[in-house]
Every structure is written in C-alpha cells, then in structure tokens.
Amino acid sequence: MTDPLRLALGGALPTISDGERTSGRRRHPLRTAAKTQPDPPTMPTRSARRGASQARLQRENAHDEIYEKIYTAILEHRLHPGTKLVEERLAEIFDVSRARIREVLARLAHEQIVDLIPQRGAYVAKPSIEQARDVFEARRVIEPAVLRRLVATLTPEKLTRLRLHQELEVDARRRDDKRAVIRLSGEFHSLAADLAGNSALARSMRELSVLTCLMIFLYDAPTATSCRADEHSQIIDAIAKRDAPRAEKLMLEHLEHIESSMKLVGDTEEVDLAAIFKD
Ligand SMILES: [Zn+2]
C-alpha cells in the first residue's frame, strides 16, 4: 500500500504492521496465533499438506487485501454510507471471482459495515440515529474498561505505539489530510483496545469504531472531524502516568464531545417550520 505517511516515517506504521495488514486478522492476535499452528497430523502427506495450506494462504491473502481496501475506503469516507457495492464491478476491479467478492462482503456484513439486502445486493451500512445512540452507549461501557486494562498492563512498548500513532494524527492534521485524520482518529481507539490485550474487547472496538466513522459522515457537522485535536494526547498522558481514573474520565468526556458534535435528533421530531422561515 502506497501510504505517503508510512513512507515519511520510514515504513513505520504503529497501528498495523505489513504482516498484520495482509493477514487481515490484526485485531485478533489470538486467532492469528492459532492460524500459524501446523495442521493436525491427520492430513495425508507433508507436501500435500504444505501445498494445501499455501493455496489457502494465497486465497486468504487476496481475500484480506480486498477486504482491507474496501474497509479503508469506508473508513476514509471515499465510499459513502448507502453506496451500492456491485459484486460484478468489484470482481472486475480486483480481478477475482464474484464468489471471492461475496466472501468479502459477507465478512463486512458480519462486522455490520455492509448491509446485505436480499434480492438487492450489498450496500455500505447507513446506521440509523437509534443505532448511532446505541454505538455511543456501547463505547461508554467498553472504552473505560479498555483503558483500565491498558493502564494495568502498560509497558514502555505499548506507550511508544500510542505516541507514534499520535504523531501520525498530528502530522495528518498539519497536512489537513481529512481522510487520514478520520481514519487515524478511529484507529487510535482500536489501537488502545488492541494494546489492552483483550481480543473480544478489541474486536468490538474495531466494529464500533468503523460504525462511528460512518455515523460521522451521516450526522456530523460539516466542519467536524470526529475526535478533537488534543484529546487523544491528554488521554495518552494520563495512561503514561498510570492514572486510570483520569484516563477513563477524559475518555468519557471525549466520547461526549464526539456524540454532541453529531446531529442525532430523532426521526420523529417535529420540524419547527416557523423557526426555519423566521426572517
Ligand atoms: Zn478519539
């Protein structure tokens, strides 16, 4: 992936390593570890086993690459909520079978990023206002727990990864690269969950983070870019001081800021015509 930010940093991308990116299981370290285990000895021969597992690996790599490309396009708002993902076109673009594309779309649907509608096809998810509120409620429960665990298990390496990610964010803001800012802001939260070391929390956080990205596109004020500039660094400072209560408090405030920057007004709310046409 040609990422100028990655090049600028000499290939160092703190959130996702190349290997993790192509494995596509970057949020699930336990599953990745399980995958690398040798196949059970019930397979016919060693060479057949190796051939089969290589073919499977190639298939999975292609699958994961397409998945990552679609996932990142959604995260960066290049693919908008509600966009139809036409199987045939995607198969042409990525030069793979429609069956392969169907697998990727099924995975994205499983993560709630894509809606599969019978007889109509696949669409980039368009979370409703009610779903958006649910996402924030879930984040308020999960993220303080993530930070508590992260502080309890903190190592200098984990802190370095957080700081490096923060530098990428600062750099993207300085370049006014809105797509990168939105993606990196979301990834900060997923990274914290990854580093906390609970794979179930990390998986939930990854899904909630991409749903938040879609919600920002649908409901955010046009000028906002999800996370406020300096709030992640304040959270990292609290983590560095191993001050879990402060980190949790800052995170809840941060989520409150993101939620309140969105226009999550009820669908059924009556429109005040008089206010609209005043003067
Ligand atoms: Zn944030």
Side-chain angles (χ1 to χ4, degrees):
M1 186 169 282
T2 50
D3 184 342
L5 218 51
R6 180 195 291 259
L7 292 175
L9 288 165
L13 194 73
T15 52
I16 309 154
S17 75
D18 281 317
E20 283 169 333
R21 187 180 278 277
T22 49
S23 85
R25 285 175 174 77
R26 62 181 199 243
R27 308 294 173 194
H28 312 303
L30 293 177
R31 261 208 277 161
T32 310
K35 272 279 171 206
T36 58
Q37 296 296 314
D39 291 334
T42 47
M43 296 290 284
T45 65
R46 187 180 289 268
S47 62
R49 196 162 73 221
R50 196 179 299 130
S53 70
Q54 268 174 1
R56 192 184 62 205
L57 209 65
Q58 277 173 359
R59 200 165 59 235
E60 290 192 350
N61 281 348
H63 174 144
D64 289 336
E65 205 182 310
I66 298 166
Y67 167 87
E68 284 294 338
K69 282 185 174 161
I70 298 176
Y71 179 87
T72 308
I74 294 172
L75 217 59
E76 294 189 343
H77 292 172
R78 281 181 283 126
L79 270 175
H80 297 174
T83 303
K84 185 166 187 186
L85 299 171
V86 184
E87 240 175 59
E88 209 171 348
R89 279 293 291 139
L90 291 172
E92 279 168 24
I93 292 165
F94 294 115
D95 194 24
V96 293
S97 68
R98 289 179 65 171
R100 182 75 41 80
I101 296 295
R102 261 197 299 280
E103 283 172 19
V104 173
L105 293 176
R107 179 171 166 200
L108 290 161
H110 182 70
E111 295 177 357
Q112 298 185 61
I113 302 162
V114 159
D115 288 332
L116 290 180
I117 304 173
Q119 318 298 331
R120 287 183 53 205
Y123 294 81
V124 178
K126 212 171 169 178
S128 66
I129 286 170
E130 199 183 354
Q131 284 174 305
R133 290 208 177 104
D134 287 352
V135 165
F136 277 106
E137 190 178 346
R139 291 188 64 168
R140 282 194 295 272
V141 173
I142 287 177
E143 298 206 52
V146 160
L147 292 185
R148 267 198 303 281
R149 207 173 197 281
L150 182 53
V151 166
T153 61
L154 192 67
T155 60
E157 292 75 27
K158 288 183 181 181
L159 195 57
T160 304
R161 289 194 60 186
L162 287 170
R163 296 257 193 236
L164 275 172
H165 188 89
Q166 175 63 12
E167 280 172 29
L168 289 180
E169 253 190 84
V170 169
D171 185 59
R173 282 182 205 278
R174 197 170 44 231
R175 289 183 292 111
D176 201 26
D177 183 345
K178 290 196 171 60
R179 284 176 178 171
V181 169
I182 291 170
R183 176 172 53 80
L184 289 164
S185 308
E187 284 179 352
F188 169 77
H189 294 262
S190 305
L191 174 65
D194 275 352
L195 295 176
N198 177 323
S199 62
L201 281 179
R203 190 174 54 199
S204 302
M205 195 55 240
R206 175 179 157 91
E207 289 176 19
L208 292 169
S209 163
V210 73
L211 282 172
T212 305
C213 263
L214 290 171
M215 285 148 43
I216 286 165
F217 185 88
L218 287 167
Y219 304 114
D220 216 0
T223 51
T225 50
S226 71
C227 301
R228 289 190 189 175
D230 55 338
E231 293 186 349
H232 289 172
S233 65
Q234 289 172 9
I235 293 169
I236 296 172
D237 288 344
I239 293 169
K241 288 178 187 150
R242 295 180 182 263
D243 188 344
R246 179 165 167 77
E248 286 176 48
K249 180 175 167 287
L250 287 170
M251 179 58 86
L252 289 174
E253 285 172 8
H254 179 58
L255 292 174
E256 164 65 28
H257 291 156
I258 304 172
E259 187 171 5
S260 62
S261 79
M262 291 187 196
K263 289 174 288 214
L264 297 179
V265 287
D267 290 319
T268 53
E269 197 172 88
E270 263 184 58
V271 175
D272 185 353
L273 286 175
I276 290 170
F277 295 114
K278 190 170 62 183
D279 296 322

